[in-house]
Amino acid sequence: METPRRKLRNLHLENVQNSSTPIRVPPSPMLKTLGHGTGVSVYRLDRSPRRGQIRSPWAVKRITHNMRVKKDTLFNERIVHEAEILRKLQHPNIVGFRGVVTNAEGVNTLALEMCTTSLGSILEERHDEDLGPLPAKHTFKMIMDVALALDFLHNEARMLHGDLKSFNVLVKGEFEICKLCDFGVSLPLDEQGEINFLKNPGLRYVGTSLWCAPEVVDDVDIIDSKADIFSFGLIIYETLALVPPHTLELDAALGEDMDSSHDLTTDAEKLQRKQLDFSGVAAEIEEDMSQEAVEEEDVDEEEDDTKENDTKENDFSDLDSAYGTRPPLPVAFELSDDYNCIVELFYLCTNALSEDRPAAKTIWQCLENNAANVANGSD
């Protein structure tokens, strides 16, 4: 769906930003399930035509049946929190807010812009079908769009997403546009672009352990927007490895396919050495950084929740020490030179020290400049 013209879009926002917006959502069994998360399910809502015009479908999010039975209010409250945030976030690379409604039982339903699928689902399919890494052109498009969204989020909205991962990046069509979603655990940044947990004891970073930055894992008192950048780097890792970060280490820890694991490590070491020869966008990013220094129903729900938790903060007790580190890149497939910049962005974004990671603005500006240079070189 194309973004409405500004005037029409603003009128639409005026209508949907009222929490009492009349949204008629059928019972969950009547809706097509799009996916499950921890404590929530997402469904497709096909809206009836109005005045003879076909209306685009919406994605609706509500707590799972199990959570309703348990009367667990946490995830229900997160839906309200997410609605409050999304009302304020008007950006082409952030999923659009459509409305929120509360039924007689107090269950909240959040209506959102409908996208085709998630990056995480695309990568899972590629992994299952042995298709190799995401095509470089699609990865570049994802990086650009997410960087634009993060720049807006960090510098204009003053928010930390707090749960970046591939399943929280939505994709429309054949990577026509990518959008960030799932702001249920997002946190406000102060005037310095930081979160001081000592001054704000009511704030807590929730996130997902596999994608957490080292400073989050270390439970430091002050974090900043660069915590999102580390998680962003691990999304880039996912486009290459096709698995969530640190899960290859899990296989090794469980003694599965040890020979293959050894080969992957060897290839990763070769790739790290090759990194020294990379140039272009990464060099420009590092230069900009040095200048700055002197300036996220009910069909087998429990099983689905368990599966989600397996890739979240579940049973990786043997790998706690891997959280907050840069996972080794597998090179089970040959990477062409098109991936050089992507690989280096992965390394830059996952630097251990937050000050050594590029800002979102630096990332998209350098990609934009690089694209312009390539275009000029081909003329």
Side-chain angles (χ1 to χ4, degrees), residues 49 147 192 371:
Q192 287 73 46

Side-chain angles (χ1 to χ4, degrees), residues 2 10 37 60 90 92 115 119 147 179 215 271 277 282 318 327 348 351 375:
E2 294 182 355
N10 289 341
V60 295
Q90 300 176 36
C115 291
L119 177 64
K179 297 172 179 269
E215 60 269 29
L271 194 145
D277 299 327
D318 293 336
L348 286 170
N351 276 320

